[in-house]
Amino acid sequence: MTMTRDSRVPTDGRAGGSPVPTSTRATDRLAMAHDASHYLLVPAAVATPRTADDVAALFRVSHESGVPLTFRSGGTSLSGQGVTDGVLADTRAAFRAVEVLDGGARVRVQPGATVRTVNAHLARHGRKLGPDPASEIACTIGGVIANNSSGMACGTEQNTYRTLDSLVVVLPSGTVVDSSADDADERLRHDEPELWQGLLQLRDRVRGNAQSVRTIRRQFSMKNTMGYGVNALLDHDRPVDILTHLVVGSEGTLAFIAEATFRTVPLLPAAATGLAIFPTLRAATGALPELVGAGLATIELMDATSLRVAQTLRGSTPELSALQVEGQAAFLIEYLARTPEEVAGQRAASAAILDGLDLAAPVRLTVDPRERAALWGIRKGLYTSVAGARPSGTTALLEDVVVPVPALLDTCESLLELFDRHAYRESVIFGHAKDGNIHFMLNESFEDPADLERYQRFTEDMVDVVLGNDGSLKAEHGTGRIMAPFVRRQYGDELHDVMRRIKALFDPRGILNPGAVLSDDPLSYVHHLKQTPTVEPEVDRCVECGYCEPSCPSQHLTLTPRQRIVLRRETARARAAGDVALVAELESDYGYEGLDTCAVDGMCQVACPVDINTGALVRRLRGDRVGPVQEAWWDRAARHWGTVTRGAGTALSVAGTLPPVAVTGVTRLGRRALGADTTPLYDERLPRGGAARRPVPAADPDAVYFPACIGTMFGPEPDGAGVSAAFLTLCERAGVTVRVPREIADLCCGTPWKSKGLAAGYERMTRRVLPALWQASDSGRLPVVCDASSCTEGLDTMRRLADDPSGPWSALRFVDAVEFAHDRLLPGLTVTAPLGSLALHHTCSSTQLGSNAAATAVAARIAAEVALPVDWGCCGFAGDRGLLHPELTASATAREAAEVTRRSHDAYASVNRTCELGMSRATGHSYVHLLELLESATR
Ligand SMILES: Cc1cc2nc3c(=O)[nH]c(=O)nc-3n(C[C@H](O)[C@H](O)[C@H](O)COP(=O)(O)OP(=O)(O)OC[C@H]3O[C@@H](n4cnc5c(N)ncnc54)[C@H](O)[C@@H]3O)c2cc1C
Ligand code: SF4
Ligand code: SF4
């Protein structure tokens, strides 16, 4: 594929005179071409509207040029409704405001906010959104409304359609409709008379046709996202209300959703969860009516293949592991309530039902959060393991069908027979059994025409099975491109025609997202299928789900993890096609956007369902481009690390006395010689150097203390003593003895080398650090406590990389100082000078180490109020990345800083010196290590 600028696309869409940011660069177009679906269209341009006016301007451009417009938000859609070869408008970047109303009973949201963020705002009020898609970490309000998403527990009562209060939409004509206004219907009649009248006519046409009424009632008594939500024509009388509810589930084909207000539902934090394993699928589905009657919030089906896969997962229960899986099936069941007492009441009331089930093993309900997480890990791990283990070069397709609950058994059995007939191996069936909504996965390579034919034959058979059981071909993932040709078959000619008329009323020129929801081409579902080239192990596993995007510090500056991965795929594809110019362009952009501005903090791995650390890929690729001069310099640095850290600290102290321009000029020269990606840029906001690290001998200590070298390079805030001094004082105060290794001045966790892919220096440091700590810790008997979370994590990684699990260093235990303080020091301390409010910034490493809870608990001990920003994210400082590329930290911290500075706090803290620097820069407040505050509060 040769990438050229598309002459159809005028890039001067203007709103109020200022152009809507639009790009036609190959990197942007290819990075955005991919979403979670198995369709791939490369947009002609990518626009980033910032306001509803910008969107109206894009509509005008589309009308004038005839180039269609498609919205992209979280990009987690699975049915192909978020891809286009026209203009793709990224509506996630802006549009993120969240406003809690009526003490949490309602929430007003812009479409780019993720479900997780909105729920974090609501959690403070004991409320949540009704729709509960499994993709909540990444999917956004725009996508949830446009797809009428639901999930495990919400059913049809608490889905988007039912819990939506009002919408603000921009129609393709540019008219803005605010359905919450008292005179909304009047205004619609005035501004859009044809649309208003047309909706009335459709309402009466549908209501006057008994067959249509029956079909709609039957179809929408289930979860159903096929075609348009024509139930709106029965459920609502006023055209403006019909319009609002037709936009729900319209997949960006009718209007732009600029704002939404939802009625929220109670957050039910108390739960009891268990796995009910039945001898057969028939026994399981047969028990469904009784289980639904037992008041269970969740009943998740897993078929026999799912159980076999589940047995290989970490969270597998003893009962499951012991099972000889033949034809069994299981339900993951869960009670949810406001309090543990309510859960106990629910269990007691339904005990007889559970006791009477025909089970292969007794069901054990647990309220323990870890056990519950393990059980959910099994259910969620099904997708992970099957998708992650698919043969490289194939694409994972996640299907989503629904049938009336009594038809579930027949449908599942027929699907199993179809998998056999069409030779789809390992196709697990799982899903929301109480709603009759099941998912199954197919791994398919679309390159081979024979495979494509097989896929078509399977689809035809599957459509027959589902429609033959009075079901719907899409329950919650949206019609998209995959099912658009089958809408007529599901609803019949009359309702299909009603849907076509709806589209024509809203979007007469068909500029909005053509190809999604309705299609006249019976084979359009096999056009534009994604072919996935084999590239490299990290990349090949990726299913392009987008879960990793919202937590990535570089998402607003350059690329997201998914984009870093898909650009590797696109580069491989261009190389295979012999498109030398495109390869050169992509590789040139990738240097800065893909590699330099990745913080390699691994936050993507925390979110990734198939466990990909894009940072690890970036590190490896950085290593490939390291020149001999840089490698040699950093290897020398590893040899003389004590001198380097002291030198850097002294240099910062000296630099603090010189004019900033002069120092910045010198470091710029150094960056030219050694490379901007390995040589930090001096910045006058940096602190002076800190104290050199010195050994502390101790005959019989409680722990080894590893003060991080970043404390020597970047000293404390002007009025602080630094974390190292604070930690030693706290230990003394609490009666805990620590030993600092003899070699400490020359030791480092290795992150500066590892993050840059400098293998020789990393290896050298590893060979020095691990033996020194082994000796200091009495051969691993004592824990090693580090006072910077990224270094604690770095040390643990060093141990893992140097060793197999049973190797000589495996006994070394690294503990972050905050966790150590929580467990060992707090009991011996008395808070004498408590704080009012404390803003706490967790770090990417404390998240990965699992020490956030300890940090929050320490903070809560010394402050009456601990403010944890909802818009928290990794600061992107990542050791020295914030010095190498300060723009990364500035971008990564912008939202959190805006939230933190909205009010003032008595103190600001984090648990890593460089993150403290990053947050101080971003907020203008002085962040210190939490242990420094603990020390001053317990004097
Ligand atoms: C692993 C996985 C699990 C999933 N689990 C579930 C589940 O449990 N339940 C469920 O319902 N879904 C699930 N989904 C599907 C998907 O996550 C949801 O449909 C989600 O709501 C899509 O949101 P998004 O922000 O990613 O939207 P996108 O994919 O970006 O967009 C979705 C559609 O909405 C349109 N759109 C986006 N923003 C706007 C706007 N502001 N105005 C108008 N149109 C707009 C787009 O054009 C597109 O047609 C899952 C997906 C994955 C990958
Ligand atoms: S390592 Fe961090 S910056 Fe790099 S892709 Fe992953 S989340 Fe983004
Ligand atoms: S890296 Fe993981 S989370 Fe990100 S898109 Fe790929 S599979 Fe999804």
Side-chain angles (χ1 to χ4, degrees):
M1 168 182 41
T2 304
M3 302 289 301
T4 51
R5 194 182 172 291
D6 190 325
S7 56
R8 294 176 306 159
V9 184
T11 52
D12 59 350
R14 282 174 187 274
S18 89
V20 180
T22 304
S23 168
T24 52
R25 284 190 331 146
T27 291
D28 292 327
R29 294 162 57 200
L30 290 169
M32 287 291 285
H34 297 247
D35 73 355
S37 73
H38 54 285
Y39 292 92
L40 183 70
L41 278 98
V42 180
V46 176
T48 316
R50 298 144 301 185
T51 60
D53 276 356
D54 278 3
V55 174
L58 289 174
F59 279 145
R60 277 198 299 280
V61 172
S62 258
H63 274 122
E64 283 158 17
S65 64
V67 178
L69 179 66
T70 293
F71 302 117
R72 167 71 66 76
S73 205
T76 65
S77 284
L78 292 155
S79 305
Q81 59 269 61
V83 291
T84 181
D85 57 2
V87 172
L88 189 64
D90 173 358
T91 50
R92 177 176 60 174
F95 304 106
R96 293 190 170 213
V98 178
E99 189 187 354
V100 175
L101 306 172
D102 312 335
R106 292 186 308 142
V107 64
R108 185 179 296 141
V109 205
Q110 288 190 333
T114 62
V115 168
R116 179 168 287 192
T117 303
V118 179
N119 280 339
H121 281 272
L122 289 169
R124 298 169 173 179
H125 304 271
R127 310 286 297 179
K128 66 185 270 293
L129 288 169
D132 57 348
S135 50
E136 49 82 45
I137 190 171
C139 71
T140 66
I141 295 301
V144 163
I145 296 172
N147 286 351
N148 191 17
S149 305
S150 40
M152 310 236 183
C154 81
T156 48
E157 293 75 38
Q158 295 186 340
N159 65 7
T160 312
Y161 182 88
R162 296 272 172 228
T163 56
L164 190 70
D165 199 44
S166 64
L167 275 186
V168 178
V169 298
V170 185
L171 300 176
S173 62
T175 300
V176 177
V177 180
D178 178 356
S179 73
S180 71
D182 289 341
D183 60 349
D185 200 50
E186 281 311 303
R187 278 199 220 167
L188 180 66
R189 181 183 199 163
H190 174 268
D191 294 344
E192 295 280 342
E194 245 179 81
L195 174 58
W196 189 90
Q197 196 60 46
L199 291 174
L200 270 190
Q201 282 166 358
L202 285 179
R203 181 195 73 181
D204 295 342
R205 171 174 162 185
V206 166
R207 290 179 182 188
N209 183 322
Q211 177 62 37
S212 293
V213 173
R214 266 198 307 277
T215 305
I216 291 175
R217 289 294 176 225
R218 178 171 45 79
Q219 283 283 324
F220 289 90
S221 64
M222 305 174 286
K223 282 178 163 188
N224 178 12
T225 56
M226 269 296 270
Y228 290 120
V230 283
N231 48 334
L233 296 162
L234 297 185
D235 296 342
H236 297 279
D237 297 327
R238 296 191 313 164
V240 74
D241 297 323
I242 294 173
L243 177 149
T244 307
H245 288 87
L246 281 174
V247 167
V248 177
S250 65
E251 301 176 24
T253 63
L254 300 183
F256 171 67
I257 300 152
E259 190 181 279
T261 303
F262 283 88
R263 292 179 296 278
T264 62
V265 302
L267 181 65
L268 303 174
T273 313
L275 195 62
I277 304 173
F278 293 83
T280 59
L281 186 62
R282 182 173 293 275
T285 49
L288 257 180
E290 269 187 299
L291 285 171
V292 171
L296 287 157
T298 311
I299 307 175
E300 290 290 300
L301 171 71
M302 292 185 247
D303 74 342
T305 312
S306 301
L307 292 179
R308 263 191 291 274
V309 173
Q311 285 180 317
T312 66
L313 300 177
R314 222 181 309 147
S316 178
T317 60
E319 297 86 356
L320 178 58
S321 300
L323 202 68
Q324 183 76 34
V325 180
E326 279 148 13
Q328 294 93 330
F331 289 138
L332 180 65
I333 54 176
E334 187 163 81
Y335 293 98
L336 285 176
R338 283 172 219 255
T339 61
E341 293 71 32
E342 277 182 36
V343 168
Q346 288 176 338
R347 288 174 64 173
S350 56
I353 296 177
L354 290 194
D355 290 346
L357 293 175
D358 171 19
L359 293 172
V363 60
R364 189 173 58 83
L365 288 163
T366 175
V367 295
D368 179 78
R370 275 172 210 246
E371 285 186 345
R372 288 188 49 239
L375 284 170
W376 277 110
I378 295 178
R379 160 65 181 83
K380 291 181 180 166
L382 293 175
Y383 171 72
T384 311
S385 6
V386 178
R390 75 193 185 284
S392 106
T394 64
T395 303
L397 262 92
L398 185 57
E399 271 296 359
D400 161 48
V401 301
V402 58
V403 292
V405 171
L408 191 60
L409 174 64
D410 182 57
T411 306
C412 290
E413 284 179 340
S414 303
L415 285 174
L416 291 170
E417 195 271 315
L418 289 187
F419 296 154
D420 243 19
R421 193 190 312 161
H422 298 284
Y424 282 114
R425 313 264 171 248
E426 293 296 308
S427 290
V428 288
I429 296 182
F430 54 92
H432 320 309
K434 79 180 167 66
D435 301 315
N437 174 197
I438 48 173
H439 301 303
F440 54 89
M441 271 179 53
L442 306 177
N443 291 331
E444 189 58 281
S445 157
F446 295 118
E447 255 171 79
D448 185 342
D451 288 338
L452 190 59
E453 275 172 33
R454 163 173 84 152
Y455 171 61
Q456 281 176 247
R457 286 195 305 274
F458 172 85
T459 303
E460 285 293 331
D461 288 349
M462 188 264 291
V463 168
D464 284 346
V465 165
V466 174
L467 298 187
N469 277 303
D470 271 343
S472 171
L473 295 164
K474 282 290 165 192
E476 52 179 20
H477 293 171
T479 316
R481 291 173 179 275
I482 187 172
M483 284 301 157
F486 302 98
V487 172
R488 186 193 290 263
R489 207 147 124 195
Q490 178 163 325
Y491 287 98
D493 289 345
E494 164 61 11
L495 282 175
H496 184 252
D497 192 60
V498 167
M499 292 183 188
R500 295 181 64 91
R501 178 84 186 112
I502 290 170
K503 173 70 175 170
L505 280 172
F506 278 81
D507 179 22
R509 298 191 42 198
I511 57 159
L512 256 183
N513 204 11
V517 183
L518 299 176
S519 168
D520 288 333
D521 175 356
L523 286 181
S524 61
Y525 75 104
V526 286
H527 299 158
H528 311 295
L529 291 167
K530 200 184 261 176
Q531 291 175 0
T532 312
T534 300
V535 183
E536 54 213 336
E538 302 94 327
V539 166
D540 293 347
R541 282 210 319 282
C542 175
V543 291
E544 303 185 3
C545 65
Y547 278 23
C548 51
E549 296 198 325
S551 56
C552 175
S554 63
Q555 60 174 310
H556 299 300
L557 179 69
T558 49
L559 297 172
T560 69
R562 170 166 61 179
Q563 292 172 342
R564 289 193 164 91
I565 284 177
V566 301
L567 284 171
R568 296 286 294 166
R569 286 183 170 153
E570 289 298 345
T571 308
R573 207 192 309 274
R575 194 172 285 118
D579 191 341
V580 179
L582 179 57
V583 171
E585 184 180 347
L586 294 177
E587 284 186 340
S588 157
D589 290 345
Y590 204 77
Y592 174 74
E593 295 169 48
L595 304 187
D596 293 356
T597 51
C598 168
V600 297
D601 57 337
M603 284 306 285
C604 40
Q605 187 176 21
V606 175
C608 177
V610 295
D611 208 29
I612 296 173
N613 182 347
T614 310
L617 165 72
V618 166
R619 252 195 315 262
R620 184 169 63 69
L621 297 174
R622 278 183 193 159
D624 293 347
R625 65 175 191 175
V626 168
V629 178
Q630 292 155 312
E631 183 80 64
W633 191 92
W634 278 93
D635 189 32
R636 257 201 315 281
R639 253 184 263 161
H640 309 287
W641 192 237
T643 316
V644 172
T645 47
R646 280 193 306 276
T650 310
L652 282 176
S653 297
V654 173
T657 64
L658 296 175
V661 179
V663 187
T664 310
V666 170
T667 58
R668 279 196 206 288
L669 281 178
R671 279 156 76 87
R672 231 169 277 157
L674 286 170
D677 199 45
T678 51
T679 316
L681 179 66
Y682 175 74
D683 178 322
E684 69 269 21
R685 291 167 298 175
L686 288 174
R688 295 180 176 205
R693 295 177 295 168
R694 301 197 194 293
V696 176
D700 185 19
D702 298 295
V704 173
Y705 173 39
F706 186 106
C709 49
I710 47 175
T712 302
M713 291 191 215
F714 308 115
E717 296 301 297
D719 52 352
V723 62
S724 181
F727 180 75
L728 289 171
T729 307
L730 285 167
C731 286
E732 204 180 319
R733 206 173 279 159
V736 170
T737 312
V738 293
R739 169 191 292 160
V740 177
R742 204 161 17 96
E743 307 84 342
I744 189 66
D746 289 317
L747 304 185
C748 170
C749 68
T751 304
W753 292 268
K754 189 156 164 288
S755 65
K756 298 178 189 66
L758 295 155
Y762 187 68
E763 170 70 24
R764 187 179 295 285
M765 191 51 82
T766 303
R767 283 203 308 268
R768 182 179 313 141
V769 169
L770 294 181
L773 294 182
W774 183 251
Q775 198 182 16
S777 65
D778 298 347
S779 310
R781 188 180 62 81
L782 300 170
V784 179
V785 182
C786 179
D787 61 10
S789 60
S790 67
C791 307
T792 315
E793 198 203 356
L795 287 166
D796 199 46
T797 306
M798 183 182 263
R799 176 189 62 79
R800 274 190 288 111
L801 291 179
D803 223 355
D804 63 54
S806 56
W809 315 121
S810 57
L812 279 173
R813 277 175 300 136
F814 296 102
V815 181
D816 192 65
V818 169
E819 205 152 8
F820 186 76
H822 176 265
D823 295 348
R824 301 289 304 275
L825 305 184
L826 273 188
L829 298 172
T830 308
V831 178
T832 51
L835 294 161
S837 85
L838 161 57
L840 181 61
H841 171 80
H842 290 313
T843 71
C844 56
S845 1
S846 61
T847 304
Q848 285 159 61
L849 287 167
S851 58
N852 286 348
T856 308
V858 170
R861 188 65 76 83
I862 57 173
E865 183 203 353
V866 180
L868 295 170
V870 170
D871 272 321
W872 172 82
C874 165
C875 69
F877 210 102
D880 55 4
R881 196 102 324 234
L883 297 179
L884 298 165
H885 298 287
E887 68 279 16
L888 174 61
T889 301
S891 167
T893 49
R895 291 191 64 79
E896 181 174 352
E899 185 179 341
V900 169
T901 51
R902 229 169 272 148
R903 53 168 287 201
S904 77
H905 299 277
D906 295 335
Y908 300 82
S910 188
V911 292
N912 204 63
R913 186 70 190 113
T914 49
C915 307
E916 290 151 35
L917 295 176
M919 287 308 296
S920 299
R921 284 179 177 196
T923 60
H925 294 289
S926 191
Y927 274 71
V928 298
H929 197 287
L930 181 60
L931 295 190
E932 291 181 66
L933 296 180
L934 179 64
E935 190 280 315
S936 53
T938 56
R939 280 181 190 157

